[in-house]
Every structure is written in C-alpha cells, then in structure tokens.
Amino acid sequence: MFLGLHIGIHDSNISLYKDGKSYYSKYERVSGIGGKKHGPGNFEWLIDTLKSWGVDEPHKQIKHMVHCTAFYEDGSEHSHQAMVDKMKLYQDDNVVFGGGSPTTPRKIIYSTDTSDMSATKTVFSTHNIFSSKTLDPLLWANYKIIKEIKNNWNCKVEDIDHHKLHIYSTLRDYEQQAVMDGKGSGSRYALINDKIFNIGKDGWPIGSYMIPIGLKMGLSTGCEVNDSLDLPGKIMGLQSYGRVIEKYSELFGIELLNYPISKFEGDAVFENKDWLDFVASAHNTLVNHMVKLFEDNFDKSKPIGYTGGVALNVVINQRLKQEGFDIKIPPHCGDEGLSIGALAYLGKKYDFEVKFDNFPFCQSDEPSWGTADSQTIKRTAEDLANGKVVLWYNGHGEVGPRALGNRSILMDPTIKNGKQKINAVKRREPWRPFGASVKQDQAHRFFEMTDSPFMMYNSQVKYSGIPAVTHRDGTCRHNTVTPEMNPVYYELLDEFEKLTGIPVLLNTSANLQGEAICGTREQAIKLFQEAEGINKMVVGSKTWTR
C-alpha cells in the first residue's frame, strides 16, 4: 500500500493505492471545516479515512508515504530571542518553518538550542499575505502529523517539492508543464518546465496582486488563509464591470502591488467606476503577463499540463486557449490535488497506475441515500422549470473546487434576476457570476466552447435567453455534461430541456460563501435549513420541499 499526503494550511487531502485501486479524500469535505476555519487536517481524520478504506494498521501496512511540507528540520540555524520567547509552544527538536506562505517577510526559525540569538534571515520584504501569528500554528500542526508518522510508522517517508507534486497530479506525462501558484509556496511561486520562479526576484504570484484589491474593498473575512483563497476569485468576477484604460495599464510589479492600498484615490467600492476601471486594467495586465510568460516558454504545437491555483482563473485560461496554447487542466489543479500527485510519483517509482473509479466524482465523502430515480428526476425538473431553487446532492462529490453536478445548487438560467437571487441565497457579493451546466451534445447552441467538462473557461454565450448565467462581459463558466460522465445529472438536464427547450441549468456549489462544499448528508440538511431561498433538496432518492 502507498500513501500520498498533503497536510497543508488549507485543502488537506490524502490518496491511497491499495490492491489495484486508488482512493481520495479531502479533509473539509468530510469535516465541514472550511472557509473561516481553514486549517490542516488532523491525525484522527487520517486514521479514520484509512480505516474506511480497509487499512486498519497503517503503521504496518503502508510501504511508502510521500508528502510535501511547509517546514524543514534543520539544527544549523537559530531564532532570535524574542521569537523564541513568543513561540515557545512550537519548540520541538530543531524545526525551521520555511514555507507555506507565499510572501512572508522572513524565514521563521525555531530551535530548542537558544545559544545563538542573533540570527535572523530575510527572504523577501514586502507583501505579507499571511502573518506569523496565523501561519505558525498551522505549520506546527502539519509538523506534528508528519513527525508522528516518521516516529511510529514502519513506512518510508519522503518529502517531495510542492510544485513537482502539482506536475505529477496531472496523471499524464506532458512534455511541457506549467505550475502557477496563486500565492506561492515558500520562496517560490511558479515552475515552468524545469525553471523555478522565485518571489520578488523573478516576479510575484497572481494572488499577491489580487488580494490587496479585495482587502482595499473591505472584503476580508477576518481570516488571512480564507482571504488568500477567496479574494482572487471575487476580483476575477469584478473585473468585468470596468474598462481597461491607459491611466492604469502601465502599472506592474511593486508599483501595481502597492497601488490599491497606498496610491488609489477615491472609494474602493463597486459603485465607483474609476475603481472598477483600475480593477479591470490591473487584471488585464496580469492576463497579458501570463500570455507573455507562455509565449516565452512553450511550443503551441504541444500540450501543456497546467496546474496550481492560477489555473482556476477562467479569464486567463480562456485567453491562453484563444492564443493557441493547448493547456490541459485537471479539476484538482489546486492544492487539493497534491496527494494525487504524491501517489502518481509513487506510481512511477513502483510501476502502478493511479486511476480513480468514477472520476471526477471520487471524493470519499458520504454518498447520497441511493440514487435519484427517473421519477425523482422528472419532478425535480418540473420544480426547476417552475422557478424553484434546488439543492442537489447525488452520489459522491467531485474532486476540485468546482461543482460539476453532484454537490450543486441549481436553478432555471432563464430567470432574469436569477443571479441576484442566488447571490442572496449564498450570501455573496452582487457582482459575482454563476456557472452553468449544459448537455454536451447541445452546447454548440449556447456557448462558443463545446467541450468544457471541468468549468475551467469563460466561454462566450451565444444564446441571449439565459441571463442568470451570462456575466457582464457576455461570458459564462460552464461545464459540459455527458451521459457517460454523469448519467443522473445528464438525465436531469434532459428532462428540463423537454419542459423548457433549454438543456442548461444554473449550477453553483452546495455551500454558503466561505464555507466548505457539503460532503455529508447532515451538512446538506443543515445548508437547506439555513438557506431559506432554497425551495427543494434532493439527496439521492429522498426529497424535501418547503
């Protein structure tokens, strides 16, 4: 048996290879702990999950475990006295917390040996995303789990670079590879083929530009980790409301990083057109920068495996496609795919294939009560056609952060005020757009892009009658559905088409803003109870209405 492990400050996940089968679990989908409570998965979750996969004695049964960490054991460097005094809770052996944060201003070093208190070490000096107060307890929790395994399990334990595991997570041997972190890992923010990009020296991660924009608007949740994950997506939606203007188009690098916080004059609010123009111009600059980066490093005639948090930016992805780059993005392109990459690394080493049953619906979360039958599907389609909002929980959940039809909130996309309605249900900002699901064999009628199974692009909308999923710029982030990939969801789309002539549904993830996507039936029921705007819930063969 072989184990891939990512115990991180967010998106902790594990993958296992056992008796020819591969398994996957993401901590927040089981625990419901996400959003403002982001943090590493705990050791109990690891053990319980392995037991559910038939691994009762992992300390004996696991042969080799691979992980990537945000700390390093190193007894050669020592911390400053003030830091040691402040962080005595985290003293254990000689531990260097040297990563995890993309733009922390220094390498934070802890050691039980305090004989040398004069050393501090600067890595880079601007644009803190995570403070030491936020980061250190999370890194310490990571360390304790890895140390437990090293000390008490019989398996080989190997630490592989974060970016390398992203590459392996594509599960393909692409000759060309791009890993673009939204926030960075340690002192690095990208790996393009074999070239490492260091923060500050070679540029800045996209998130370092976008997060200050969200903070300036007062969009912080009060949790630095959550802000680092959510604010870039919010700005991605906001940028469509402004114009790209020359006044802001020349800003880049440190000047652009600092501008929203220290230089912009005026109110950073949705109602201020000048602010929207700045946001649009800044985002366009980042898109152009990414295109130039790809032009300088890739051959358009060959496919490119593309992972990392930036690969979730559908505006950038669409532009890269339009420029002729053959990018291949897995649904788990962010850190939720790192354990898959770790398992794939082990597969190369020990000659086994990582292949998940029913991919991408292979979360080891709690399945629905049975499967929605044809009668349930027809009645649900009727309710949707009558303007009802439906919470849809079927089978197992999807890997990755996008709802692809098994953990979704659904609505008729023809409803004129549909976006405002669902933003109110999910407690989101009014400018946020929604994705759509469409039968792949009918996608050509509605969208320029006809093959998009994982919601990774913002295609132009061709049909004017689906305003609830048409964004300000005339685009939509949609996923194409086939009966082979998701037969139950395809049947729901088919039944809705019979009633309305439209094989399209508004599809957004089954959660409230900043919270984890439902991974248990109890979490789905809780969401239904809390979100009053949801009229019906379907959990496999069981339904609730109000």
Side-chain angles (χ1 to χ4, degrees), residues 307-326:
T307 52
V310 178
L312 291 167
N313 187 308
V314 297
V315 179
I316 291 174
N317 297 346
Q318 188 69 27
R319 177 70 180 280
L320 290 172
K321 277 285 190 184
Q322 291 170 347
E323 296 291 335
F325 294 101
D326 185 15

Side-chain angles (χ1 to χ4, degrees), residues 86-87 90 108 130-138 224:
K86 178 183 176 184
M87 305 304 293
Y90 308 120
I108 302 166
F130 303 141
S131 67
S132 176
K133 180 180 178 181
T134 294
L135 193 64
D136 296 340
L138 300 178
E224 294 174 75

Side-chain angles (χ1 to χ4, degrees), residues 164 167 175 177 190-197:
K164 289 289 187 181
I167 288 175
E175 182 181 336
Q177 292 276 0
L191 180 65
I192 293 183
N193 295 326
D194 293 323
K195 182 180 179 182
I196 295 169
F197 287 72

Side-chain angles (χ1 to χ4, degrees), residues 161-177:
D161 177 71
H162 175 105
H163 294 99
K164 289 289 187 181
L165 293 190
H166 270 304
I167 288 175
Y168 280 106
S169 75
T170 64
L171 303 180
R172 298 288 187 276
D173 291 324
Y174 294 116
E175 182 181 336
Q176 302 186 111
Q177 292 276 0

